[in-house]
Amino acid sequence: MDIQLQDKTLGQWMEHWAETTPDKEYLVYSDRDLRFTWKEFNERVDRMAKGMLSIGIKHGTHVGIWATNVPDWLTFLYAAAKIGAVAVTVNTNYKQSELEFLVENADIHTLCITDGVFDGSYVDMVYTMLPELKESQRGYLKSKRFPVLKNVVYIGQEKYRGMYNTPELLLLGENVSDETLLEAKKLVTPHDVVNMQYTSGTTGFPKGVMLTHYNIANNGLLTGEHMKFTADDKLCCCVPLFHCFGVVLASMNVLTHGCTQVMVEKFDPLVILASIHKERCTALYGVPTMFIAELNHPMFSMFDLTSLRTGIMAGSLCPVELMKQVEEKMFMRVTSVYGLTEASPGMTHSRIDDPAEVRYNTVGRDYEFTEVRVIDPETGEECPVGVQGEMCNRGYNTMKGYYNNPAATAEVIDKDFLHSGDLGVKDEHGNYRITGRIKDMIIRGGENIYPRELEEFLYHLKGVKDVQVAAVPSKKYGEEVGAFIILHEGVTMTEDIVKDFCRGKIARHKIPKYIFFVDTYPMTGSGKIQKFKLKDLGLKLLADQGITPV
C-alpha cells in the first residue's frame, strides 16, 4: 500500500476538500433531509470559529462538547480545531458528579451542551453545577468552584439564562474579521493537541487522553485505506462521536478521504436501515449490539442494503456467528479494529481483502507506521508467536499523554511503548487475537467501566462494609457489571436498594446489573483479593439462583 502519513491539521484537511470538491455532499442527516456540501460546511465552521474567538476561545483553550450526534457536533469540533483549541468530548451518559469531575479536571473554559438524553437534562445539571449562571450575563460567568469556566453554549435555537446559543455565536462571528481568523489558523500545527477524551485507562479515575491532529487524522486515513475507501464512499455513522470509534475511525476516515458521512443522531436501528436504503450507503460501523438490533428489526427485510460493501464491528469481542450473519444479510465485508483511546485508537485492523477466517477470528495486523509487540508482563521481553502477553504499541498514534498527569502517563508508556493492559497472541501470519486483560476493567458493549470508580462510589452506601466490582460474562454486551458486597453485621439490604442508590448519580451503563451479597472474597495466601475469581463466583451464584446471564 503506497500511503504516507500526512502532516495536515484537521482544518487544512477540511479546506482541501472545500476547494477541490466544493459541491460534493459531506454531511447528511437522512431522516431530516439535512445536507451540507464540503464548501457549505467549511463556511459554517469558519463562522463558528470566529464566534469562538469572540468569546475568548484561543489556541490551547479547552472546549467541552456534551451532546449526542447532533448536526453541529462536528461544527464545534472543527471550529475549535481551526483556531488551535482543544475539543474535550464528554460522555453523553454522564451524570452530575461525573460532569463536575470532568469540567474541573479538564480545565474546561467553554462548555457546549444540548438538552440531554431521556433520563438526564444537561441544562438542569449545568445549572446545578453553576448556580451563578442564572444570575450571570453571557460571557461574564464567575464560578468559585470552576474558576476556569467562562462560557456555556447551548447547541440549538433555544435561549437559556446565562448561556449563549448557536445562532448568537454565529452572529458574534460575523463581527470578527477574516484576517483575525487567518492569524489564529497560522498558529496551529499538526502536532498540537486537538482532542481530549476521558477514559478510565488501565488504572483509577478517568483521565484526559491528549490526542493531536497528527494522531487522529492519520489513524482515520489508514483505517479508510484498509477498507479501500475513496471519495465515492458513503459511511453511515451511528456510533457516538464522543468515542474514538465515532470521532476518529468514522469522522477522520471521511475527512481524509473526502467522502460522505451519513449521520444518525442517536442509535435507532430503523433510522439506520432507512438511511442506508435511501442514501445508498457503502459502509456501516457499529458495536455488536447495534448489528444485532439491526438484523433483528421486524422491518429489516423492507430495506435494500445491497449498496453496503464494508464496515467495522468493534468495541467489544465480536461473535463469529454475528459477523457471518452481517456478511450474508447486509452484503458487507466486516473488519475489526483493536485499540484503545490512548492509541488514537487503532493499533490493529483486519483488512477488507483478508480471508473470512482472519476477519472473523482475529483483530488483524498492525497499522502501518506503528510497531505492535506482544510483551511478557513479567520479563518485558517480546513473546514468541503463539505465546500470550501484553499488547503494546509504539508509533505516530501514541497519545501525547494524560492531561496534567505525568505519573499516570509514565505508568503506561515505557521505552516509547504504550502498554494496553490487554492480553493477546500473535499468529504466524502476523495477525493478533485478544485473549483477556491484565487490568480488571469491564467493557460493556464498548463502554469502558473501571471497577475502582464504582467501588469508591458504592462505599458511600450506608451499611456497606466492603465492595468489589468485577465483570460477569454477557451474551448481549460481552460483559455486565457485578457488585460483590459484604455488609456490616446486622445490616440487611436488597438489590433494589443498591440500584436506587446509583440511579441518577452515575451513568446508566455503570449501574451493576448483578448484585451479590457475600461473606468473604477469594484471597491469595498473602491476603490479596483474587479479583479474576469473582467472575466465576458470580456465574456460580447466578446458577444457584437459576439465572442464566444474557
Side-chain angles (χ1 to χ4, degrees):
M1 185 172 79
D2 185 27
I3 186 90
Q4 293 304 314
L5 295 175
Q6 298 293 308
D7 228 8
K8 283 185 182 154
T9 65
L10 303 195
Q12 287 166 339
W13 272 113
M14 175 142 288
E15 283 157 14
H16 167 77
W17 297 115
E19 285 162 26
T20 49
T21 55
D23 301 324
K24 182 173 177 49
E25 282 188 344
Y26 158 56
L27 189 64
V28 173
Y29 282 76
S30 192
D31 57 330
R32 63 191 76 174
D33 214 21
L34 179 68
R35 295 163 192 278
F36 285 99
T37 64
W38 281 99
K39 181 171 182 282
E40 288 165 345
F41 195 76
N42 186 56
E43 286 169 355
R44 186 173 181 85
V45 166
D46 277 352
R47 283 172 64 207
M48 186 66 80
K50 288 182 187 180
M52 286 183 167
L53 288 169
S54 74
I55 62 167
I57 296 169
K58 53 184 193 290
H59 193 282
T61 301
H62 289 186
V63 178
I65 306 175
W66 195 23
T68 52
N69 294 0
V70 292
D72 268 330
W73 202 108
L74 290 168
T75 314
F76 279 92
L77 171 76
Y78 290 121
K82 283 209 186 194
I83 60 175
V86 179
V88 182
T89 54
V90 186
N91 190 317
T92 53
N93 294 315
Y94 269 10
K95 293 285 186 281
Q96 195 74 44
S97 62
E98 295 156 320
L99 169 71
E100 292 176 10
F101 169 83
L102 184 140
V103 168
E104 188 171 25
N105 189 270
D107 291 324
I108 299 284
H109 171 280
T110 297
L111 179 63
C112 309
I113 67 165
T114 51
D115 284 329
V117 287
F118 68 92
D119 68 341
S121 161
Y122 297 171
V123 173
D124 289 348
M125 282 188 252
V126 166
Y127 280 134
T128 300
M129 176 175 80
L130 300 166
E132 308 93 337
L133 197 60
K134 285 195 170 169
E135 311 302 320
S136 169
Q137 203 181 328
R138 290 183 304 251
Y140 291 90
L141 173 66
K142 285 187 174 64
S143 166
K144 282 183 188 150
R145 191 169 160 207
F146 305 96
V148 178
L149 188 58
K150 298 297 175 199
N151 307 299
V152 178
V153 177
Y154 178 78
I155 304 172
Q157 310 286 330
E158 287 87 345
K159 293 191 172 185
Y160 289 100
R161 181 77 189 159
M163 302 184 197
Y164 291 105
N165 66 11
T166 311
E168 284 168 343
L169 214 50
L170 292 169
L171 196 61
L172 285 169
E174 289 177 13
N175 299 321
V176 174
S177 69
D178 290 345
E179 289 72 32
T180 305
L181 177 58
L182 204 59
E183 288 308 307
K185 286 180 185 176
K186 282 180 187 168
L187 299 173
V188 187
T189 80
H191 296 281
D192 289 340
V193 175
V194 69
N195 179 212
M196 246 166 70
Q197 299 185 32
Y198 269 72
T199 175
S200 297
T202 55
T203 53
F205 286 90
K207 294 176 288 292
V209 176
M210 297 187 288
L211 301 174
T212 66
H213 297 254
Y214 193 74
N215 286 148
I216 65 174
N218 283 307
N219 206 251
L221 173 68
L222 294 170
T223 299
E225 291 298 306
H226 300 160
M227 295 181 287
K228 298 191 177 351
F229 260 73
T230 70
D232 295 329
D233 276 294
K234 287 186 170 185
L235 169 59
C236 182
C237 174
C238 56
V239 290
L241 289 169
F242 71 80
H243 261 174
C244 266
F245 199 176
V247 78
V248 181
L249 300 182
S251 303
M252 295 301 121
N253 172 3
V254 170
L255 181 70
T256 53
H257 288 86
C259 47
T260 304
Q261 189 158 337
V262 178
M263 288 296 303
V264 176
E265 188 171 317
K266 46 186 180 287
F267 179 72
D268 180 333
L270 193 59
V271 175
I272 291 156
L273 294 167
S275 298
I276 296 165
H277 174 101
K278 183 179 165 194
E279 304 300 331
R280 311 308 296 139
C281 292
T282 59
L284 172 66
Y285 287 4
V287 297
T289 48
M290 291 176 171
F291 282 103
I292 290 166
E294 290 148 16
L295 283 168
N296 292 307
H297 195 279
M299 293 167 78
F300 178 82
S301 60
M302 289 175 61
F303 298 99
D304 176 6
L305 308 180
T306 53
S307 58
L308 287 174
R309 63 173 194 86
T310 190
I312 297 173
M313 189 187 295
S316 61
L317 292 176
C318 303
V320 172
E321 204 44 53
L322 175 62
M323 293 178 91
K324 284 181 180 170
Q325 275 192 38
V326 169
E327 298 222 337
E328 184 190 322
K329 295 177 180 173
M330 298 178 86
F331 313 102
M332 54 189 274
R333 287 175 80 94
V334 182
T335 67
S336 295
V337 172
Y338 163 73
L340 58 160
T341 310
E342 291 87 338
S344 301
M347 275 168 60
T348 73
H349 189 181
S350 52
R351 288 12 177 209
I352 188 173
D353 42 16
D354 279 341
E357 62 269 18
V358 170
R359 287 182 296 103
Y360 293 165
N361 297 304
T362 79
V363 289
R365 58 189 187 274
D366 327 25
Y367 272 65
E368 297 76 8
F369 313 106
T370 68
E371 186 184 352
V372 175
R373 281 191 194 170
V374 179
I375 290 175
D376 185 320
E378 300 295 318
T379 65
E381 299 296 313
E382 187 170 6
C383 296
V385 163
V387 174
Q388 177 177 272
E390 184 180 16
M391 295 287 289
C392 298
N393 168 93
R394 70 174 166 192
Y396 74 89
N397 56 339
T398 299
M399 66 170 177
K400 216 164 189 174
Y402 294 121
Y403 181 63
N404 277 352
N405 203 334
T409 305
E411 277 178 37
V412 296
I413 300 175
D414 162 37
K415 299 177 191 151
D416 288 340
F417 272 99
L418 172 70
H419 289 253
S420 72
D422 291 318
L423 296 169
V425 173
K426 184 179 184 177
D427 69 20
E428 62 275 21
H429 305 295
N431 295 305
Y432 296 86
R433 277 186 310 109
I434 305 305
T435 52
R437 283 198 297 280
I438 297 171
K439 57 196 178 190
D440 54 6
M441 188 173 70
I442 299 164
I443 302 182
R444 180 192 179 275
E447 291 277 13
N448 290 0
I449 300 167
Y450 193 74
R452 187 180 145 204
E453 186 187 348
L454 283 185
E455 288 160 5
E456 300 269 353
F457 174 77
L458 289 169
Y459 274 127
H460 292 103
L461 176 56
K462 208 173 169 192
V464 170
K465 181 180 178 186
D466 199 356
V467 57
Q468 294 292 320
V469 170
V472 175
S474 157
K475 288 193 185 108
K476 186 175 181 184
Y477 292 108
E479 292 176 334
E480 284 282 10
V481 179
F484 298 78
I485 296 173
I486 296 176
L487 297 170
H488 284 291
E489 208 168 319
V491 172
T492 54
M493 196 178 285
T494 63
E495 291 182 25
D496 287 341
I497 289 171
V498 179
K499 290 184 179 180
D500 286 344
F501 178 73
C502 296
R503 279 189 195 103
K505 297 195 193 81
I506 56 171
R508 258 191 343 277
H509 64 277
K510 293 181 186 174
I511 297 174
K513 179 170 177 69
Y514 302 114
I515 291 149
F516 306 103
F517 297 104
V518 296
D519 297 323
T520 56
Y521 299 124
M523 303 285 225
T524 64
S526 61
K528 284 187 181 168
I529 295 167
Q530 293 176 299
K531 208 145 195 174
F532 64 95
K533 287 191 175 175
L534 290 175
K535 188 178 280 192
D536 293 332
L537 176 62
L539 289 172
K540 181 185 177 299
L541 292 170
L542 288 175
D544 291 347
Q545 297 170 47
I547 297 169
T548 308
V550 289

